[in-house]
Amino acid sequence: MKKSIPIMMAAVLAAGVLAGCSGQAEETEASGEGVEILVAAAASLKNAYEEELIPMFEEQNPGVTVTGTYDSSGKLQTQIEEGLEADVFMSAATTQMDALNEEEMIASDTITNLLENKIVLIVPSSSELGLASFEDIAKAESIALGDPASVPAGQYAQEALTNLGIWDSIQDKVSFGTNVTEVLNQVAAASADAGIVYATDAASMADQVTVIAEAPKGSLAEPVIYPVAVVANSAHPDEANAFVDFLKTDEAMAVFESYGFSAGQ
């Protein structure tokens, strides 16, 4: 019987150590250390996020890791609707954000129209077609556009070209990309004679594509706005809110501006 006392004491001590470790783990999670958040962002944001903004945020928030997933805003919207455990969503148009908000999948009080972009007509840098205006896209033999079904850049292109009376006449020349990066790469590789992308995308490959013109004034009903917000069911709302707040700081906005974005309206 006496021999069982040390064994019992050892068991109690071990339980105490395990409880202490568990408490430390909970405190670490609560303090933001060891937390990973997932940011679902439009493909046109990847360079700014990966090259500068995410490393900057992680340096200022030790223990918080940010992982980005990038695609067309429409695809990301669908993924979130189907259960993607994203903490932050940033789209290249208000349509996708509004849809998720109506479905109560976004923390509505966190929605911020953070950035504005421009839609531009581009050609390969080696092009000799002599295009001089946005409307000249009709002269190209092959055209790359984002799929309007899911790609905001494609939706903006369709709107502008429809208002200019060009959309229907070019359909037999168009190949649709699944996101704006795919469209950019097609033009950069001269697989397409011309394409329509965001100004920021064109700037990222300035040595491979030439910007011909911006979408004419009046061809788009609304500016090209990029909203950002915290996802309603985020497992880490504090860290997600901190990331969104960081994106609104002067230093983060300066980074966005260096990539060709301007402040949203």
Side-chain angles (χ1 to χ4, degrees):
M1 190 70 173
K2 292 180 180 179
K3 291 181 181 180
S4 67
I5 294 176
I7 295 173
M8 291 175 63
M9 291 179 65
V12 170
L13 180 61
V17 170
L18 289 172
C21 290
S22 176
Q24 288 176 0
E26 290 175 0
E27 289 175 6
T28 297
E29 179 80 8
S31 66
E33 296 178 3
V35 171
E36 179 177 356
I37 62 173
L38 177 64
V39 177
S44 49
L45 292 163
K46 183 175 182 178
N47 291 341
Y49 268 30
E50 294 293 324
E51 294 171 9
E52 297 194 50
L53 291 170
I54 288 177
M56 189 183 298
F57 176 80
E58 290 178 339
E59 183 178 355
Q60 296 176 11
N61 296 268
V64 181
T65 301
V66 179
T67 300
T69 180
Y70 309 95
D71 211 323
S72 71
S73 301
K75 284 188 177 180
L76 294 174
Q77 173 194 336
T78 299
Q79 289 171 17
I80 291 172
E81 290 169 336
E82 294 177 348
L84 176 68
E85 295 181 353
D87 298 284
V88 174
F89 177 50
M90 188 165 182
S91 58
T94 57
T95 302
Q96 292 75 26
M97 184 68 75
D98 290 344
L100 289 176
N101 190 38
E102 288 174 6
E103 295 166 9
E104 299 184 348
M105 303 189 77
I106 294 293
S108 58
D109 60 336
T110 67
I111 298 175
T112 302
N113 289 338
L114 190 66
L115 304 175
E116 182 178 349
N117 209 337
K118 302 294 183 184
I119 294 294
V120 297
L121 171 65
I122 60 170
V123 298
S125 56
S126 59
S127 176
E128 297 181 356
L129 284 178
L131 306 190
S133 68
F134 201 87
E135 294 87 337
D136 280 350
I137 191 172
K139 298 178 181 178
E141 291 300 318
S142 57
I143 300 169
L145 301 175
D147 185 350
S150 62
V151 184
Q155 294 162 2
Y156 288 124
Q158 181 180 25
E159 179 185 357
L161 294 174
T162 297
N163 288 333
L164 293 169
I166 300 171
W167 179 255
D168 291 338
S169 66
I170 64 170
Q171 290 309 297
D172 60 343
K173 305 177 182 180
V174 175
S175 62
F176 291 110
T178 60
N179 58 53
V180 73
T181 303
E182 189 175 309
V183 175
L184 177 67
N185 288 336
Q186 284 186 45
V187 179
S191 298
D193 292 333
I196 294 177
V197 298
Y198 297 115
T200 52
D201 296 307
S204 73
M205 285 193 175
D207 59 332
Q208 295 174 267
V209 301
T210 299
V211 174
I212 300 301
E214 290 183 6
K217 186 176 181 179
S219 63
L220 295 176
E222 301 290 340
V224 180
I225 296 297
Y226 283 52
V228 63
V230 175
V231 178
N233 65 350
S234 168
H236 307 290
D238 291 342
E239 290 77 15
N241 273 284
F243 185 75
V244 171
D245 288 341
F246 161 74
L247 294 179
K248 294 186 278 187
T249 64
D250 290 342
E251 61 179 336
M253 289 302 298
V255 171
F256 281 125
E257 289 168 5
S258 72
Y259 282 81
F261 293 98
S262 57
Q265 299 179 7

